[in-house]
Amino acid sequence: MNLVYHSTRNSEETATASEAILKGLTSDGGLFVPDSIPKLNVSLEDLTKMSYQEIAYAVMKEFLTDFTEEELKTCINNAYDSKFDTEEIAVTKKVDGAYYLELFHGATIAFKDMALSILPHLLVTSARKNNVKNEIVILTATSGDTGKAALAGFADVPGTKIIVFYPKSGVSPIQEKQMVTQKGDNTYVIGIKGNFDDAQTGVKKMFSNKELAKVMNDNGFQFSSANSINIGRLVPQVVYYVKAYADLLKQGALKAGEPMNVVVPTGNFGNILASYYAKQMGIPIGKFVCASNKNKVLFDFFETGKYDRNREFYVTTSPSMDILISSNLERMIYRIAGNDAKQCAKFMAALTKDGEYVITDAMKAELSEFFGAFGSEEETAVKIKEVYDKEGYVMDTHTAVAAVAYDKYKAATGDDKTPTVIASTASPYKFTRSVMDAIDSAYDAEDDFELVDELNKVSKTAIPKAIEEIRTAPVLHDTVCETAAMEDEVKKILGI
């Protein structure tokens, strides 16, 4: 039976999985959600005997019900191959009393690879299934990692173009170098004079601009998204939480049916939502610890029930979390509102108009499985050094925010016995300055690529290919624009 997807803002707008992947956003600016979260059709014990690719098929076939077995397995096998530096694809390591789920073994050394390696294959397959003749224009805003992973995934994919907007002064030097050196005749990278929320808002406006859609269609183009607002991004992220539970079973950390906790460094809410979907599928997860940095809009939301983006925006050492509008939270709001699209639409309209909304007490009660915590810049740096000194393990700044949040969860609840998975979302090589400064401030005198070599020495880990490739790579993308000119830049690229 095919799973039906519909808009979080209009229950009348429905789509198949492939249609939802193609569109990215719904016509009213909402997000596609399945009418129910399907159950996993595999026992917990059987998961321990399966490869990453086999687990991916077991999870994704339940969501992407209009894909044939051959189509889906081809997408999975093309995605999870030698682009990853380990056959495991995602690795679970026990460090300092927690289980770090390393999601950075892909081509661009960040967790976005886990979904963006497969999204181009899902998208091209979806286009073919729906007889789409237009060229698909992937339009994406990034806070640092999505951009490079999407560019790498879509580079030179026939029938597609990819345009990435990023905050010019809001990403790490290595994140920026990864993007602006991207090869591919169909890739375009534009820095904006603003922050990630400005970029994301500009992209969403273009998606909901019906006049622009008509002009594009007349010229043989249509938009789709590589952000986690696309259900084709979200579904593959469920897979690695299922794999993590299987890893803990294999490692003897728990018995089948016993719960694990999950700690996720969170900006756009997609990664932690994927773990919530894993629980709905049947994976025993106790608490979801939502870890925020200094931009703690989500922490405040979980504390008070009020989502309020009217606050100062901070640029931090964990830039992928520097977000005040957590787009994927809309899917959770829809769910805790009892799948009431009208109610969800009202909240989102209030967020657009006033910058805030307040959920009901009944909705807040539905969030009891979530625990919000945040880590300051100082706490994050201290944690990196502490774990390095104790274990010789070097984590990136985003993972460190999660580790700080886990400490706060244990202190607040006394729960230090439940096996806990911390989503390790990026390689420390992506944020060398912040990481090395935390270990010893004397490193600050060195440039970013000298710091790569120092990190290689202290961590005793190989320098990723992704870093070696950009050391001397020429800059191929140098366009910078005001946020008001984003649509003009897109039109210029498409020649319309």
Side-chain angles (χ1 to χ4, degrees):
M1 195 173 82
N2 275 2
L3 199 59
V4 175
Y5 288 80
H6 47 260
S7 169
T8 49
R9 303 183 191 182
N10 176 9
S11 55
E12 299 301 309
E13 183 172 351
T14 61
T16 63
S18 62
E19 287 168 346
I21 289 169
L22 272 174
K23 290 178 183 174
L25 274 173
T26 66
S27 61
D28 53 11
L31 308 186
F32 282 110
V33 285
D35 52 12
S36 62
I37 305 298
K39 294 296 181 189
L40 200 57
N41 200 19
V42 181
S43 74
L44 298 175
E45 291 87 348
D46 283 347
L47 288 171
T48 63
K49 303 170 195 142
M50 295 165 72
S51 67
Y52 192 89
Q53 293 83 349
E54 288 167 335
I55 293 173
Y57 179 69
V59 170
M60 293 173 66
K61 75 182 177 72
E62 302 299 340
F63 283 98
L64 309 182
T65 49
D66 64 331
F67 282 67
T68 66
E69 180 177 349
E70 183 186 1
E71 285 170 340
L72 191 49
K73 284 185 173 175
T74 298
C75 290
I76 288 166
N77 292 332
N78 284 337
Y80 303 115
D81 59 7
S82 58
K83 290 190 290 294
F84 290 80
D85 64 19
T86 170
E87 282 186 19
E88 273 197 80
I89 308 298
V91 179
T92 307
K93 283 185 184 171
K94 188 172 187 186
V95 180
D96 195 29
Y99 293 85
Y100 285 77
L101 176 60
E102 294 184 347
L103 301 170
F104 51 75
H105 290 280
T108 74
I109 58 176
F111 83 100
K112 306 295 173 75
D113 287 324
M114 304 299 294
L116 283 166
S117 293
I118 193 167
L119 182 62
H121 302 289
L122 295 175
L123 200 59
V124 169
T125 304
S126 295
R128 193 168 57 242
K129 291 175 77 66
N130 289 278
N131 299 311
V132 169
K133 301 291 186 276
N134 283 346
E135 188 165 11
I136 296 164
V137 180
I138 306 298
L139 188 65
T140 289
T142 185
S143 54
D145 288 337
T146 286
K148 174 58 184 179
L151 288 161
F154 281 95
D156 293 323
V157 170
T160 69
K161 280 184 169 58
I162 175 160
I163 305 170
V164 170
F165 289 96
Y166 75 97
K168 176 65 183 164
S169 303
V171 299
S172 81
I174 284 179
Q175 282 178 313
E176 182 171 44
K177 190 85 188 281
Q178 280 189 299
M179 286 190 280
V180 298
T181 58
Q182 176 66 50
K183 296 174 185 171
D185 291 340
N186 65 336
T187 63
Y188 304 88
V189 181
I190 301 167
I192 65 150
K193 296 173 184 174
N195 59 39
F196 169 74
D197 288 328
D198 298 324
Q200 183 167 251
T201 299
V203 164
K204 281 186 168 181
K205 277 182 184 169
M206 282 185 267
F207 267 103
S208 57
N209 184 333
K210 289 184 170 57
E211 287 175 24
L212 178 59
K214 183 180 185 310
V215 171
M216 286 185 60
N217 188 59
D218 290 345
N219 286 273
F221 298 110
Q222 69 185 64
F223 282 139
S224 190
S225 170
N227 281 85
S228 56
I229 53 178
N230 191 318
I231 199 73
R233 263 282 305 276
L234 189 59
V235 169
Q237 291 182 268
V238 178
V239 175
Y240 49 74
Y241 291 107
V242 177
K243 161 80 160 50
Y245 191 85
D247 286 348
L248 263 55
L249 264 180
K250 270 197 280 197
Q251 293 175 26
L254 41 68
K255 295 187 178 75
E258 291 179 345
M260 68 179 186
N261 291 334
V262 172
V263 188
V264 186
T266 310
N268 225 2
F269 206 74
N271 201 359
I272 195 164
L273 182 67
S275 67
Y276 178 80
Y277 278 14
K279 178 171 184 173
Q280 304 308 305
M281 290 195 87
I283 298 301
I285 299 176
K287 285 284 184 182
F288 303 91
V289 180
C290 181
S292 299
N293 64 13
K294 196 175 180 181
N295 293 295
K296 58 187 184 69
V297 64
L298 284 167
F299 169 77
D300 292 340
F301 169 72
F302 283 114
E303 288 286 295
T304 66
K306 180 181 183 179
Y307 192 97
D308 182 4
R309 67 172 172 85
N310 301 313
R311 60 181 69 209
E312 188 173 350
F313 179 91
Y314 298 103
V315 175
T316 73
T317 55
S318 46
S320 297
M321 300 161 68
D322 291 348
I323 293 171
L324 294 180
I325 303 173
S326 300
S327 288
N328 261 293
L329 185 63
E330 180 170 342
R331 286 186 166 111
M332 196 73 203
I333 295 297
Y334 171 82
R335 186 173 179 84
I336 63 175
N339 296 350
D340 184 338
K342 284 183 181 170
Q343 179 73 3
C344 185
K346 281 180 189 169
F347 286 127
M348 296 308 122
L351 182 64
T352 301
K353 181 172 173 284
D354 305 319
E356 62 180 54
Y357 59 84
V358 182
I359 61 173
T360 65
D361 289 343
M363 289 172 70
K364 192 167 186 294
E366 291 284 320
L367 296 171
S368 59
E369 297 160 287
F370 287 83
F371 180 92
F374 71 96
S376 69
E377 295 287 85
E378 296 73 24
E379 289 169 323
T380 302
V382 166
K383 192 67 187 177
I384 290 170
K385 181 167 172 54
E386 178 190 300
V387 173
Y388 170 69
D389 288 344
K390 191 173 173 184
E391 301 266 359
Y393 185 80
V394 183
M395 67 180 80
D396 93 293
T397 44
H398 304 74
T399 307
V401 170
V404 169
Y406 179 46
D407 287 345
K408 291 184 178 181
Y409 167 77
K410 287 186 291 184
T413 64
D415 177 16
D416 57 359
K417 296 287 189 291
T418 307
T420 297
V421 167
I422 293 176
S424 184
T425 52
S427 165
Y429 284 97
K430 206 150 192 172
F431 304 95
T432 48
R433 182 163 304 282
S434 301
V435 168
M436 296 306 288
D437 274 359
I439 291 172
D440 188 337
S441 59
Y443 285 117
D444 199 42
E446 301 186 33
D447 75 30
D448 285 275
F449 283 100
E450 288 172 334
L451 290 172
V452 164
D453 297 320
E454 294 299 330
L455 177 54
N456 168 243
K457 289 176 199 166
V458 303
S459 67
K460 299 181 176 61
T461 58
I463 298 171
K465 185 179 166 191
I467 297 297
E468 291 290 16
E469 283 175 348
I470 63 169
R471 275 186 195 261
T472 56
V475 171
L476 301 175
H477 308 273
D478 57 5
T479 304
V480 179
C481 75
E482 301 287 347
T483 54
M486 288 170 64
E487 185 178 316
D488 292 337
E489 291 295 333
V490 169
K491 286 177 173 175
K492 200 184 301 177
I493 287 166
L494 300 180
I496 58 176

